Amino acid sequence: MKLVGVSGALAGGKTAVAVEAVLAAAKVHDSTIKTELIDLREYDIEFAAGLPLSAYNEDTWNVVKKIQAADFLVFGTPIYQASLSGALKNLLDHLPEYAFRNKVTGMVATGWTNRHFLVLEYHLGSILSYFKGLVPTGNVFIHNEAYDIESDELTDDRIYERIGQLAEEVIYLQRGIMNR
């Protein structure tokens, strides 16, 4: 099985650290799982304009194909103005309606206020469900205070515990889908 993590932040490293932590926890839980991080800071994803995928640049094409080839996914986003990042939403706008059918789609988010955890449940989760993704119950919101201010390293063991639980849940659910 291949788990692809998508970090939907164009600035800062907190979101990528969170997504990488989920990928690492998945490898600890099952060393046979292949993982890949798509960090949107490293790609030039063109603005979605309703054109066929072939009309966009190579970065856009490659990222969409990697996402579609994944068995299951974890999406990470910083929370800006009570919403997911525009960069992540733009990427999702390039995908076909059934892009996540038979795929588990976990979520992690970072933000400055604990009220932002609702963005996962009521906004990003709705979008992933629209694409027919199975959204697990144990998604993780990480307050920015859980990071070291200089290195963006996670410093809260409770967050690592919740990330481990998310990794375990997405693996369990995806196995269930694939073994039916």
Side-chain angles (χ1 to χ4, degrees):
M1 290 193 307
K2 181 155 188 188
L3 172 61
V4 170
V6 178
S7 174
L10 295 183
K14 291 176 181 67
T15 302
V17 167
V19 175
E20 285 181 289
V22 176
L23 298 178
K27 292 288 283 181
V28 167
H29 187 72
D30 182 345
S31 62
T32 66
I33 291 176
K34 295 179 177 93
T35 62
E36 181 176 2
L37 174 67
I38 297 172
D39 186 337
L40 294 188
R41 295 176 297 177
E42 299 173 2
Y43 296 92
D44 177 26
I45 306 298
E46 289 188 287
F47 188 76
L51 302 171
L53 187 57
S54 60
Y56 296 98
N57 67 19
E58 189 174 343
D59 274 358
T60 304
W61 173 268
N62 286 335
V63 168
V64 169
K65 291 302 176 188
K66 287 178 183 189
I67 288 170
Q68 290 181 311
D71 292 308
F72 57 135
L73 301 122
V74 173
F75 290 93
T77 184
I79 306 300
Y80 299 134
Q81 307 299 344
S83 185
L84 65 148
S85 72
L88 181 57
K89 178 61 171 87
N90 179 60
L91 172 61
L92 293 169
D93 286 344
H94 285 285
L95 299 172
E97 181 180 353
Y98 296 97
F100 304 144
R101 176 175 277 162
N102 297 320
K103 296 180 184 192
V104 176
T105 53
M107 302 179 289
V108 295
T110 59
W112 274 110
T113 174
N114 286 329
R115 291 182 301 251
H116 280 155
F117 81 93
L118 294 169
V119 172
L120 291 176
E121 296 297 321
Y122 295 110
H123 191 48
L124 182 54
S126 301
I127 294 168
L128 299 177
S129 292
Y130 168 80
F131 287 110
K132 311 304 182 239
L134 175 63
V135 178
T137 59
N139 300 298
V140 179
F141 173 79
I142 306 168
H143 194 284
N144 284 353
E145 290 177 353
Y147 291 89
D148 177 82
I149 197 161
E150 293 181 20
S151 68
D152 283 341
E153 294 291 322
L154 276 168
T155 59
D156 188 332
D157 289 338
R158 294 171 300 171
I159 299 296
Y160 279 111
E161 184 178 325
R162 290 177 28 225
I163 284 172
Q165 291 167 350
L166 172 60
E168 186 175 350
E169 184 179 6
V170 296
I171 292 167
Y172 175 81
L173 292 171
Q174 190 60 45
R175 282 190 182 132
I177 289 171
M178 295 175 90
N179 290 329
R180 58 186 171 116

